[in-house]
Amino acid sequence: MPQAHADLIVVGASAGGVEALRDLVAGLPPDLPAAVAVVLHLPAGGTSALPQIIRRAGPLPAVSARSGMPLTRGRVHVAPPDHHLLVVEDRFVLSHGPAENGHRPAIDVLFRSAAIAGGPRVVGVILSGVLDDGVAGLVAIRTRGGTAVVQDPDDALYAGMPENALRHVETTHVRPAAELGPLLAGLVRDPVGVTAAPPVPARLAQENRIARDLRGVLEVDAHMIGEASEYSCPDCNGVLNEVEPDSLRFRCQIGHAWSAEALAQAQGDAFEKALWTALRTLEEKASLSHRMVETARGWGDQRRIDRYLGLAEESTRAATVLRDFLLSSLSRSRDESSDVESTGL
């Protein structure tokens, strides 16, 4: 059987990921015989300072990835804000395809494309973060014969992503971030059987096409994506189809993809937003009712005064109850550290 070596390392991180990435790259050798690609969840606007941070933290050069850029060994390629990063054959491609789990760039997109392009030559790494972006992509890497590596949850600032990866993916390499660099340096020197890669599943290829090119969405009908569910997409309000019933993954006709955890989080955010809107409406109604009371007093109309006072008191009571609930919910959310860190990187 022909032998080769793993020559592509793909890394996904979210909240707490900058610290983990610093530790990881600090342990990589300057002659690493593999290209490295990184997705860190970033806000859509602005630019990213992550390449500079990685260059300062370790011996490898780091650049913001561009479409058409070749996979260069001994270099770290970072996904820019608001663009998916994909691997197509021996080059990187940037895409403005549908968000996945509410993110663009998304970890699943990079991992899935790397699995298709590289098979056993790919090593996927999950670092600190909340929820479970990257889990489906890591499953794809393992399905194609690649290697899965996960930061030790006890070492991660946010253990959600590592814990979900370990729960759903067969993983033999679990290390603190500071030990990942030497581990990866050894893994990329171990031989792999390039002819041993299982074929690319049709659904994996379809999802990759959707992420790469918006036109790919038009080429996939509802039954190819999955069976319609009872849920709606938080991004576009379209019907979500159940892509993988066993692991609860969903995708809408526009192409937005959601894991169950990310969907529940987005639904919770939408619910909270609706409640804040309701609170504002109640407070405005109370304020307007008080002004109407003053107007009715000028007319000497006691019936209207009583009616408007009742409306103001009812709205104020409801607003107080709703405000107390929202503030209590926000306090619990902060205490549980369930909110994703926003980063200006």
Side-chain angles (χ1 to χ4, degrees):
M1 179 184 298
Q3 296 291 319
H5 295 268
D7 57 6
L8 176 58
I9 299 170
V10 290
V11 184
S14 186
V18 174
E19 293 81 356
L21 278 167
R22 283 195 186 111
D23 289 341
L24 185 157
V25 299
L28 293 173
D31 60 345
L32 183 75
V36 182
V38 174
V39 163
L40 175 70
H41 292 159
L42 297 166
T47 58
S48 171
L50 189 58
Q52 294 92 314
I53 292 172
I54 290 175
R55 284 199 296 269
R56 290 196 299 263
L60 298 183
V63 297
S64 181
R66 301 188 307 274
S67 274
M69 178 179 285
L71 278 65
T72 303
R73 297 184 180 189
R75 177 189 287 176
V76 182
H77 311 77
V78 178
D82 203 29
H83 289 81
H84 290 313
L85 177 62
L86 298 93
V87 179
V88 179
E89 297 179 350
D90 60 351
R91 294 185 176 275
F92 290 108
V93 169
L94 297 183
S95 159
H96 204 70
E100 300 203 11
N101 295 321
H103 298 293
R104 187 173 51 228
I107 301 167
D108 280 335
V109 171
L110 171 62
F111 282 23
R112 188 169 53 227
S113 67
I116 292 173
R121 297 184 295 106
V122 178
V123 179
V125 184
I126 291 290
L127 300 178
S128 174
V130 299
L131 303 182
D132 56 356
D133 188 30
V135 170
L138 203 59
V139 169
I141 288 174
R142 291 292 294 129
T143 298
R144 290 276 291 146
T147 303
V149 176
V150 177
Q151 181 182 4
D152 187 337
D154 292 335
D155 177 64
L157 288 177
Y158 291 81
M161 277 174 35
E163 287 176 345
N164 276 303
L166 293 175
R167 187 175 298 118
H168 295 286
V169 186
E170 180 184 350
T171 306
T172 56
H173 304 287
V174 183
R175 300 284 193 281
E179 298 179 14
L180 291 178
L183 171 68
L184 294 170
L187 289 176
V188 296
R189 288 179 167 85
D190 292 339
V192 297
V194 294
T195 61
V200 177
R203 183 165 289 155
L204 181 62
Q206 291 163 4
E207 292 200 89
N208 190 59
R209 188 165 69 251
I210 291 171
R212 180 180 175 184
D213 187 347
L214 283 172
R215 288 176 297 181
V217 180
L218 304 177
E219 299 171 6
V220 180
D221 63 34
H223 295 294
M224 292 175 69
I225 294 176
E227 295 297 322
S229 75
E230 59 186 299
Y231 311 115
S232 59
C233 175
D235 280 344
C236 67
N237 295 320
V239 175
L240 285 171
N241 291 331
E242 201 160 341
V243 178
E244 295 178 10
D246 293 340
S247 59
L248 288 180
R249 289 187 59 246
F250 305 89
R251 192 179 285 274
C252 72
Q253 288 293 293
I254 300 299
H256 303 119
W258 298 90
S259 67
E261 286 206 20
L263 178 60
Q265 177 73 40
Q267 289 171 334
D269 292 344
F271 176 63
E272 182 176 318
K273 182 178 179 181
L275 290 180
W276 282 110
T277 300
L279 175 60
R280 186 185 70 244
T281 302
L282 286 169
E283 290 176 335
E284 290 176 354
K285 183 178 180 181
S287 175
L288 179 60
S289 296
H290 281 299
R291 294 190 64 180
M292 294 166 71
V293 166
E294 296 305 315
T295 300
R297 281 180 177 152
W299 298 334
D301 190 335
Q302 189 60 45
R303 184 178 63 83
R304 279 190 167 85
I305 292 173
D306 293 341
R307 178 188 171 200
Y308 297 150
L309 279 173
L311 287 174
E313 291 171 0
E314 179 183 329
S315 300
T316 299
R317 284 196 303 270
T320 299
V321 171
L322 188 52
R323 186 187 300 105
D324 289 345
F325 172 78
L326 284 165
L327 293 177
S328 174
S329 176
L330 182 60
S331 176
R332 287 197 306 271
S333 179
R334 285 173 176 169
D335 289 342
E336 295 168 1
S337 299
S338 62
D339 291 335
V340 180
E341 280 186 337
S342 64
T343 172
L345 296 174

